[in-house]
Amino acid sequence: MIPWTLLGLLAAQGCGGGLYEPTRVEGVRVVALVAEPPEARPRQYVRATIWVGKPDDRDLDVMLWTCTYLEDGSCAEAQFATEVEQWVTLGTDVDGQMETERQIPQEAEDWLDSEDEVVQVQLFAFACPKDECAIIGEVEAAMDEVGIDPGMAEKLADPTSWLARLPMDEVSLLTRGFAVSLREPGRVNRNPVAEARFAEALDPELVVAPGGVVDLAFHVQDPNGETVYAYPLTTHGRFEERKVKVEDQQVRLYLQAPAEEGEGRVWVIFDDRDGGLAVYSQPLRIQAPEG
Amino acid sequence: MLLALDLDAEGRVLDARVIESGGEAFDQAILAAILDFRFSPALDARRAPVPAQVQYLYRFRLEVQATVAVRGDVRAGGTREALVGASVMAEQVPMTPLPEGEEPRRVSVQSGADGRFELAGLDPGRWRLLAGAPGFGIEELEVEVTGGEVLEVAFHLSPDRPWEAPEVGETIEIIGYRLPPEITERRLDQDQVRVLPGTGGDVIRAVQTQPGVARTPFNAGTLLVRGMPADASAFYLGGVGIPVVFHFGGLSTAVNGDLLSEVVFLPGSYGVRYGRTMGGVVDLAPTTAPAERTQGYASIDLFQAAVMHEQVLSKRASVTLSLRRSYLDTILSPIVNTQDDYTVRLPRYMDGQLRAIYRDDRGMVVQGMVLGSDDRFTYDQTDSDGDRTESRLDLRFLKGWASWTMPLGRGWQSELALMAGPEQLAAEYLSDEEAYEKAQREHLRLELSRPVPEGGVIGWRLGVDLELSHEEYSYQVEDLDGFFLYADDEEGAARVFLPGVYLEQVQKQGPVQVIPGLRLDWMRTDDDYQAQIVDPRIRVRWEVTPSTVVNAGAGQYSQFPLLREVMDNGTGVPRLDPEHAIQVSVGARQQLLPALSLEGTAYGAALSDLVVGHDDRFTFELAPPPMAPYDTDAYANEGTGRVLGLELLTRYEDPRWLAFAAITLSRSTRVEREGQARTLFEYDQPVLLTLVGSHRLPRGWRVGGRARLTSGNPYTPVVNRIYDLDEQGWLPVFAESNVERLPAWASLDLRVDKEWTFRLWSLTLYLDVQNLTNRRNVELLNFSPDFATEIPVYGLPILPTFGLRGAW
């Protein structure tokens, strides 16, 4: 017998990681999905913002849907939604971002017996180059139909069934949980708030010389007083650390720019590890100083 | 005088009867003396040692004894084994030069069965004594013979070409039978195992080179036999279960192989003696006779140091002590620990055995052994806050083992074996997570057997196989971060009672033996779980000619679910039944030449009621866990499988050569749940090819090589991924299960031994080079954390190891 589990821990610490760069966004990738508020009551409206990274200027189809999983693995939404639009939102990204507003269904009240009970709803955000994913076309077609097609419901409950046939680098699916409860507003979780502190972080565009370093500083506050971690991402270069703990409401992140010139984007996701998120996102330009 | 002798498998005389008397006084004398005789073991058609009944003609010779002037013994240097039939010549050293044409006076004798000799009728004066034996060098010494005094001398001959030494003992004819061997029964002799290239001289690693045994990644400590899962193989020590057969990483067997006379490997279609398992069986057979001489050794190699000493207490009793400790942790840990934030203390193990054995003149053997083993692996990590946490894995057991075998008369023999003691497997992980399995287990076997008597048609084997244990498990690992995510914490404890009975009859009709058998097993826990197994089995053995044997067998082989599966943490899972395998095999063995044999076995198995589900629960893995979709549903007896295979083995063995070629062709598939597609078994290896050769050279040299080629294991590729924002990590999306296969695995190993023999001890230096060509074999496929990149994990590069062994 060999301690495979401990060796697995070693692997998780970085052994055998190869060329994997955890702060790099390559290809199409849904970077974050922020729900405001991150916990809501039935019939409450929730604003969902999706950030997407992409390697070029192509427009992306972006699809957002929810699934409240039942014991048999199906989504409760298939039972109470009368139209696909109530369940799924389709759109196109604008500068790597899409926003939509959804109302928590009234039926969710039936799942909640007490104020302390929390129902976990799974949110899914999927991005794909425009008109290149059949699932988007199928959902669009389903939106023209009345009612919920059972086959479509199965696909939304188990996205791996169609994701397995799509190219890994050209599509992206992100999932996260979302809490539905009857808790009073003062008791629910809230998103952290992050403000960039240094001048370059406040600029609409971050400019750095090839091989240079960008110093990003933030003031981060969590309304619930929870510990917040920063997860920086970039399309060019790399951050020193994948995960940085916010201490005393301050955090600094250092981006090592690549040696080549280029244009891209930087994101920093502030995560209270309880569903609360904030996202900082700015364009990034790597450019040699003139002269 | 003509005697009828009953011999055991080691050539010892169990019983003697006078057929033609030489007179009462002679009869009594020879019957008293013959029990101390030792014969070469009888060999069956497959050259496996077997008990036998023989007729033996003993001639008394009357001689007028001259006065003995010199007596002594002739022994092999190093091992100090008595050399029978060695020539000893005394040549008188003349005081003055002899006239031309006149020869000095010479007297020659041969050593007897105990290596002793006497030279009589030597005149007083100087004599040159020369001793020699086939395969050994000549030793010479001079003595001064004086009238009336008997000189005692000892010769220790250095082995030069030992393969030329004749086998000790008389040629015997097998006229009796014991219970026949199994359909496919491979016995590995410890002396051969010790020099097998690429195995480090370890017995179970030698079993891993046998046909029908698939490779596990990194040669991990497990056996994958004939397409069955690792937990379907069972390991025994002298007929009772042993909790752990391998130390961590499969580097070494947990019991010193030098305590064993042989390793019995039964890949399938075996009799009813072994049960509660679907797959192969390995029975480590301790020696059944006390040491004939005090002996021992000390050895060191790259991985471990060992010392063993066997002390003769009397002619009938001896005691043996063996201690081993690895130092892999001491040597290699500094090399691994190149980063500041964690420290790995590589696996280290130690084991010890203390055994006493007594054998009386009638063949009763009583043995007792205390054996213990302790493996440890630790991993320290310092997190970003500077806090240190340690992960640790401990595996240990302390067992008492006892065995009592006794001839009962009228051909019956009894065997009583008992193993009892605590065992524990415990892991403590980062963040205060821990998991352990503990058991206090007693295993008892009582077996009565009677071979088909001479001229008879019926033989019997019946036994009780009883296991009683108190098992306890706890897996508090739900919050374990990292590579593995576990669904639930679990814990449970129960007393488990596993009684089993079996009965087998041997029906002999001429050259054909039919052996039907039935085995019944029960499982009962104090948690009110009950299950039973009824396993009927039948074997047929047909000795077409003395050199050709055809075998066939069919039967059911079943095993109970694990305790955690039947307890299921109180979540009310439906009752689970035992897992079953219907095995069928047909084989033949042909002795082509006295030293060359060929055997082939076609086998198949239909697996049913396999327990599936809860892949997301923690287990102490026997092999690297495959990267594949988890079946997270409740446990159920829904798995089925099919295995088909063909094993071919040709073996050449003479005093200088040991060589074999083994090829296995097989296909093993599974259907995990009803309605799901049939997929390849995770260790399905359609082709296994092994070539082994070892050759003895003069002057203590031996060279050997091993070449292996196996198919790569199937694997399930990752075709996409999902980012889990809550966990800030990636989830894989797998393709269909096991649709891809790793590259073929191949390795060439080399071993060179050189033995220096001194008068009272010998020293052996060996060099064992694994993967001589430094081939990069893919053992596993890992993935980058974002699953975008497949990362092959390679096996050992070229690994030269050396060792020293001093034996006395």
Side-chain angles (χ1 to χ4, degrees):
Chain A
M1 184 176 293
I2 201 164
W4 297 109
T5 307
L6 282 180
L7 293 183
L9 279 173
L10 271 178
Q13 300 301 322
C15 298
L19 300 174
Y20 171 66
E21 173 47 66
T23 63
R24 178 77 66 78
V25 172
E26 290 171 304
V28 173
R29 175 165 164 189
V30 180
V31 170
L33 165 55
V34 175
E36 180 57 52
E39 181 177 337
R41 299 164 63 89
R43 288 182 292 181
Q44 186 175 351
Y45 280 90
V46 177
R47 169 157 297 277
T49 307
I50 300 163
W51 276 269
V52 202
K54 51 186 181 180
D56 49 38
D57 293 336
R58 282 186 295 177
D59 287 338
L60 299 176
D61 284 328
V62 180
M63 181 166 77
L64 172 75
W65 76 100
T66 62
C67 186
T68 310
Y69 281 104
L70 302 176
E71 280 191 0
D72 64 358
S74 66
C75 301
E77 285 81 348
Q79 295 177 5
F80 59 74
T82 54
E83 294 180 345
V84 176
E85 288 89 334
Q86 292 175 306
W87 187 2
V88 185
T89 302
L90 280 180
T92 305
D93 81 296
V94 178
D95 293 333
Q97 199 171 329
M98 190 189 95
E99 284 188 11
T100 184
E101 192 169 66
R102 298 280 298 273
Q103 185 181 23
I104 305 296
Q106 183 179 343
E107 287 82 351
E109 283 182 349
D110 299 338
W111 308 330
L112 300 166
D113 293 331
S114 68
E115 188 179 324
D116 290 332
E117 195 164 357
V118 175
V119 168
Q120 192 75 4
V121 177
Q122 208 63 28
L123 304 180
F124 290 94
F126 174 66
C128 171
K130 199 154 184 62
D131 301 329
E132 299 219 350
C133 288
I135 185 69
I136 301 284
E138 290 175 38
V139 170
E140 280 178 336
M143 286 178 170
D144 296 333
E145 305 292 329
V146 177
I148 304 293
D149 173 51
M152 178 60 60
E154 277 184 29
K155 288 181 178 176
L156 294 176
D158 179 16
T160 62
S161 60
W162 45 268
L163 199 61
R165 294 191 294 274
L166 295 173
M168 188 184 290
D169 288 340
E170 295 180 25
V171 302
S172 176
L173 177 63
L174 173 145
T175 187
R176 59 161 289 185
F178 178 80
V180 175
S181 74
L182 297 173
R183 288 194 282 213
E184 292 300 320
R187 295 184 56 205
V188 300
N189 187 30
R190 291 163 64 188
N191 286 325
V193 179
E195 294 175 4
R197 278 296 176 86
F198 287 175
E200 60 264 39
L202 295 170
D203 283 347
E205 186 176 60
L206 300 175
V207 181
V208 61
V213 174
V214 180
D215 182 358
L216 292 167
F218 297 92
H219 177 266
V220 184
Q221 190 175 12
D222 186 81
N224 306 90
E226 293 172 304
T227 302
V228 177
Y229 293 88
Y231 294 86
L233 295 166
T234 177
T235 55
H236 290 70
R238 59 183 290 273
F239 279 95
E240 282 187 350
E241 293 177 84
R242 175 177 182 262
K243 173 185 176 183
V244 183
K245 188 177 179 182
V246 175
E247 310 253 25
D248 299 328
Q249 301 185 347
Q250 308 290 330
V251 66
R252 292 179 74 165
L253 306 165
Y254 300 95
L255 168 67
Q256 176 69 55
E260 302 81 29
E261 292 188 338
E263 292 184 0
R265 182 167 281 275
V266 166
W267 301 265
V268 181
I269 300 162
F270 300 94
D271 186 346
D272 70 1
R273 313 294 289 138
D274 195 25
L277 292 175
V279 175
Y280 163 86
S281 176
Q282 286 294 334
L284 170 70
R285 183 186 299 168
I286 301 104
Q287 181 181 314
E290 290 183 9
Chain B
M1 288 178 57
L2 187 61
L3 303 172
L5 306 180
D6 292 342
L7 305 180
D8 68 9
E10 296 183 358
R12 290 180 175 78
V13 180
L14 300 177
D15 195 14
R17 296 172 297 282
V18 175
I19 298 175
E20 292 178 10
S21 173
E24 188 177 344
F26 286 123
D27 290 353
Q28 289 177 356
I30 188 62
L31 286 176
I34 197 77
L35 294 174
D36 292 332
F37 278 37
R38 179 79 182 270
F39 294 82
S40 291
L43 305 178
D44 65 7
R46 300 180 315 145
R47 299 188 63 77
V50 293
Q53 291 181 349
V54 302
Q55 291 189 357
Y56 183 72
L57 183 64
Y58 192 91
R59 289 190 177 87
F60 283 95
R61 193 169 58 193
L62 292 174
E63 290 180 347
V64 176
Q65 294 284 329
T67 304
V68 174
V70 178
R71 67 162 59 104
D73 52 16
V74 187
R75 295 180 177 273
T79 65
R80 289 168 286 138
E81 285 177 357
L83 292 177
V84 183
S87 298
V88 182
M89 186 183 76
E91 184 181 81
Q92 191 164 27
V93 180
M95 300 291 288
T96 57
L98 292 173
E100 192 172 340
E102 190 174 332
E103 294 284 323
R105 186 166 168 246
R106 295 190 178 103
V107 177
S108 294
V109 293
Q110 286 197 321
S111 59
D114 53 359
R116 298 286 298 172
F117 69 90
E118 291 180 344
L119 289 163
L122 305 187
D123 302 330
R126 291 202 66 77
W127 288 79
R128 182 182 300 118
L129 305 181
L130 297 98
F136 290 84
I138 293 173
E139 190 177 340
E140 179 182 330
L141 56 92
E142 275 196 14
V143 297
E144 183 79 31
V145 174
T146 56
E149 187 182 348
V150 181
L151 287 173
E152 182 78 26
V153 296
F155 288 102
H156 291 87
L157 306 187
S158 178
D160 185 10
R161 304 166 73 85
W163 55 88
E164 292 178 354
E167 290 193 22
V168 179
E170 306 281 335
T171 302
I172 56 176
E173 178 190 359
I174 298 176
I175 56 175
Y177 285 90
R178 243 200 117 191
L179 289 178
E182 305 284 354
I183 288 179
T184 308
E185 180 179 82
R186 303 203 171 95
R187 290 173 179 266
L188 305 175
D189 181 82
Q190 174 59 21
D191 288 337
Q192 294 176 351
V193 166
R194 194 176 292 131
V195 294
L196 211 54
T199 65
D202 187 80
V203 288
I204 302 294
R205 287 172 68 190
V207 171
Q208 288 178 322
T209 66
Q210 294 295 300
V213 181
R215 273 197 72 261
T216 44
F218 303 103
N219 283 330
T222 186
L223 274 190
L224 297 161
V225 183
R226 287 187 175 174
M228 298 283 188
D231 64 0
S233 292
F235 298 91
Y236 294 84
L237 176 67
V240 285
I242 183 170
V244 174
V245 74
F246 271 115
H247 289 298
F248 281 155
L251 289 173
S252 173
T253 302
V255 177
N256 190 340
D258 290 294
L259 287 163
L260 311 175
S261 62
E262 62 184 6
V263 178
V264 180
F265 171 50
L266 307 173
S269 291
Y270 40 83
V272 294
R273 175 177 162 89
Y274 301 101
R276 300 195 284 263
T277 184
M278 292 190 301
V281 164
V282 175
D283 199 346
L284 309 176
T287 50
T288 57
E292 294 179 329
R293 60 187 181 85
T294 294
Q295 58 188 335
Y297 70 83
S299 69
I300 53 168
D301 60 27
L302 188 65
F303 305 116
Q304 66 178 19
V307 60
M308 176 175 152
H309 183 77
E310 203 160 19
Q311 180 70 44
V312 172
L313 300 178
S314 72
K315 192 173 158 188
R316 299 187 179 93
S318 66
V319 62
T320 309
L321 174 66
S322 167
L323 296 169
R324 296 189 299 181
R325 195 210 190 275
S326 74
Y327 35 73
L328 199 65
D329 53 336
T330 310
I331 295 175
L332 291 183
S333 291
I335 300 170
V336 175
N337 295 314
T338 55
Q339 300 199 23
D340 296 333
D341 55 348
Y342 64 81
T343 306
V344 179
R345 194 80 175 157
L346 286 176
R348 74 111 176 95
Y349 58 82
M350 59 176 76
D351 65 58
Q353 299 88 36
L354 176 63
R355 185 186 73 155
I357 181 169
Y358 172 83
R359 184 182 190 278
D360 76 1
D361 293 339
R362 307 298 301 173
M364 182 192 75
V365 178
V366 180
Q367 297 187 70
M369 187 182 341
V370 177
L371 59 158
S373 174
D374 184 9
D375 289 27
R376 186 163 298 178
F377 176 88
T378 58
Y379 167 73
D380 293 325
Q381 188 192 13
T382 305
D383 65 17
S384 54
D385 298 329
D387 297 329
R388 286 183 68 80
T389 49
E390 182 186 78
S391 293
R392 199 175 58 219
L393 189 60
D394 290 321
L395 172 59
R396 55 179 175 264
F397 68 80
L398 179 64
K399 294 283 184 182
W401 174 82
S403 166
W404 179 31
T405 57
M406 189 169 68
L408 300 175
R410 303 175 71 87
W412 284 91
Q413 179 159 356
S414 71
E415 175 193 359
L416 177 66
L418 172 69
M419 176 91 80
E423 55 199 71
Q424 173 175 304
L425 177 55
E428 191 174 300
Y429 294 105
L430 305 175
S431 314
D432 301 326
E433 300 293 288
E434 66 168 359
Y436 65 80
E437 294 171 1
K438 298 176 185 171
Q440 170 73 35
R441 197 182 309 275
E442 292 89 37
H443 190 180
L444 180 142
R445 177 187 299 276
L446 174 61
E447 183 176 293
L448 300 175
S449 61
R450 192 194 72 169
V452 178
E454 186 181 345
V457 294
I458 299 292
W460 294 96
R461 187 210 299 265
L462 63 157
V464 176
D465 181 355
L466 184 65
E467 196 175 313
L468 181 65
S469 63
H470 179 264
E471 298 182 35
E472 192 179 338
Y473 61 86
S474 175
Y475 312 113
Q476 307 299 324
V477 290
E478 189 181 5
D479 296 327
L480 188 66
D481 290 331
F483 204 59
F484 303 99
L485 301 173
Y486 299 107
D488 302 310
D489 284 345
E490 279 182 86
E491 59 183 345
R495 290 199 73 81
V496 182
F497 185 43
L498 293 164
V501 294
Y502 55 89
L503 174 66
E504 193 170 73
Q505 187 188 55
V506 184
Q507 301 168 10
K508 183 170 181 292
Q509 295 291 334
V512 177
Q513 293 175 72
V514 181
I515 309 157
L518 182 68
R519 184 177 172 106
L520 308 175
D521 285 283
W522 291 265
M523 177 176 177
R524 184 182 183 119
T525 72
D526 59 5
D527 198 34
D528 285 338
Y529 175 81
Q530 290 185 54
Q532 49 280 325
I533 289 171
V534 180
D535 279 351
R537 299 170 192 175
I538 188 167
R539 292 173 289 149
V540 177
R541 176 183 169 85
W542 177 27
E543 294 188 21
V544 183
T545 69
S547 60
T548 307
V549 177
V550 175
N551 286 300
Q556 178 168 282
Y557 299 79
S558 309
Q559 66 184 42
F560 292 110
L562 302 175
L563 179 64
R564 70 184 302 192
E565 293 168 345
V566 300
M567 292 190 73
D568 193 44
N569 205 19
T571 54
V573 72
R575 170 198 160 93
L576 289 174
D577 292 320
E579 302 175 301
H580 302 292
I582 303 290
Q583 292 189 19
V584 179
S585 66
V586 178
R589 187 178 191 281
Q590 176 71 45
Q591 195 70 38
L592 300 170
L593 296 169
L596 180 65
S597 64
L598 174 66
E599 68 175 85
T601 304
Y603 60 88
L607 316 180
S608 60
D609 298 322
L610 303 181
V611 176
V612 295
H614 279 316
D615 294 339
D616 52 343
R617 289 193 170 173
F618 177 89
T619 53
F620 288 104
E621 301 283 355
L622 291 167
M627 291 290 289
Y630 278 3
D631 177 351
T632 57
D633 289 344
Y635 292 123
N637 285 108
E638 287 192 32
T640 58
R642 283 187 210 148
V643 181
L644 284 173
L646 175 68
E647 297 165 358
L648 295 171
L649 173 68
T650 181
R651 184 180 174 93
Y652 183 87
E653 186 180 347
D654 69 16
R656 294 191 72 179
W657 273 100
L658 168 64
F660 66 85
I663 185 166
T664 305
L665 307 174
S666 71
R667 171 52 52 96
S668 181
T669 59
R670 298 286 186 277
V671 176
E672 292 293 315
R673 296 260 183 185
E674 287 174 16
Q676 291 186 358
R678 181 169 297 278
T679 60
L680 292 176
F681 172 53
E682 62 189 278
Y683 293 113
D684 173 65
Q685 293 170 11
V687 179
L688 302 165
L689 176 65
T690 305
L691 304 171
V692 172
S694 182
H695 183 55
R696 291 172 82 169
L697 297 165
R699 301 184 182 280
W701 287 92
R702 178 188 279 271
V703 294
R706 178 176 71 165
R708 286 184 297 165
L709 172 67
T710 67
S711 308
N713 285 319
Y715 76 94
T716 305
V718 173
V719 290
N720 216 318
R721 68 266 170 95
I722 301 172
Y723 193 76
D724 183 345
L725 194 60
D726 294 330
E727 297 295 335
Q728 293 287 357
W730 297 92
L731 303 169
V733 176
F734 290 100
E736 293 294 317
S737 190
N738 291 333
V739 293
E740 299 282 352
R741 193 177 283 283
L742 297 176
W745 188 99
S747 179
L748 183 65
D749 310 322
L750 174 76
R751 182 178 173 114
V752 179
D753 292 74
K754 165 65 180 166
E755 183 179 26
W756 291 271
T757 304
F758 307 99
R759 282 177 66 86
L760 300 178
W761 68 291
S762 63
L763 178 68
T764 304
L765 172 67
Y766 73 82
L767 174 69
D768 193 322
V769 185
Q770 293 187 48
N771 195 11
L772 188 66
T773 60
N774 199 27
R775 179 183 160 92
R776 278 160 66 90
N777 285 304
V778 179
E779 295 278 19
L780 277 180
L781 205 55
N782 207 344
F783 295 92
S784 57
D786 63 350
F787 295 99
T789 310
E790 291 181 344
I791 302 170
V793 181
Y794 297 103
L796 288 175
I798 182 169
L799 180 64
T801 63
F802 65 90
L804 269 175
R805 177 184 166 107
W808 55 84

